[in-house]
Amino acid sequence: MSSVAVVPGSFDPVTLGHLDVISRAAGLFDEVHVLVVHNPAKTALLPISQRVRLIEQAILDEGLPGNIVVNSWSVGLLVDYCTDVGARALVKGIRSQVDVAYETPMAIVNRNLAGVETVFLLPDPAHAHVSSSLVRQVSALGGDVSPYVPTVVADFLNTQ
Ligand code: PNS
């Protein structure tokens, strides 16, 4: 039986920290679904379809393994998608205790809902300070985001 994991998130936009976690997940599971999910608690910068395209291009550019697929999900629970694709695990990146506090309740609820476990992975500490919200802010104010995001994302944001 092959192991399938889902790496969910807003990815608005995808960062080097996200790619690091996706790459690590791809080394642990047979199949990894990167799932772009609308988070109503956040004000979106990019349409979901654009986020998907940027992740797909970044995965190609960075030479990540071929066992990664990118999808989006807007209807129903995240665990419904997991059930649909046979994933028994969610993967989340943990940068600090703040992330642990944010992720733990969701992990418990997702386990209670459908028995889907959450695996926390530590990204390279070089990415510990990187977040999409910081990238959105720096980009909106005309700053250079290229140290924090894949080249395709930096180029895209520069044209906005
Ligand atoms: O990158 P983000 O914004 O921190 O990702 C949060 C996300 C999208 C993973 C979270 O909002 C989520 O899981 N949404 C799906 C809705 C859902 O299933 N909620 C109930 C269980 S927590």
Side-chain angles (χ1 to χ4, degrees), residues 29-87:
F29 295 91
D30 295 321
E31 189 179 312
V32 167
H33 291 242
V34 178
L35 193 67
V36 180
V37 184
H38 171 64
N39 185 343
K42 294 181 179 173
T43 305
L45 171 67
L46 304 176
I48 295 221
S49 57
Q50 185 63 55
R51 296 180 221 172
V52 169
R53 280 196 291 275
L54 289 171
I55 298 167
E56 285 173 337
Q57 192 57 51
I59 286 171
L60 283 177
D61 293 348
E62 305 289 327
L64 265 58
N67 60 338
I68 305 169
V69 295
V70 187
N71 242 322
S72 62
W73 183 247
S74 52
V75 182
L77 294 165
L78 177 58
V79 291
D80 293 340
Y81 180 89
C82 294
T83 303
D84 284 356
V85 299

Side-chain angles (χ1 to χ4, degrees), residues 8-11 37 39 42 77-78 92 102 106 109-110 113:
S10 303
F11 302 108
V37 184
N39 185 343
K42 294 181 179 173
L77 294 165
L78 177 58
K92 298 287 188 85
Y102 173 68
M106 290 195 281
V109 168
N110 285 325
L113 281 168

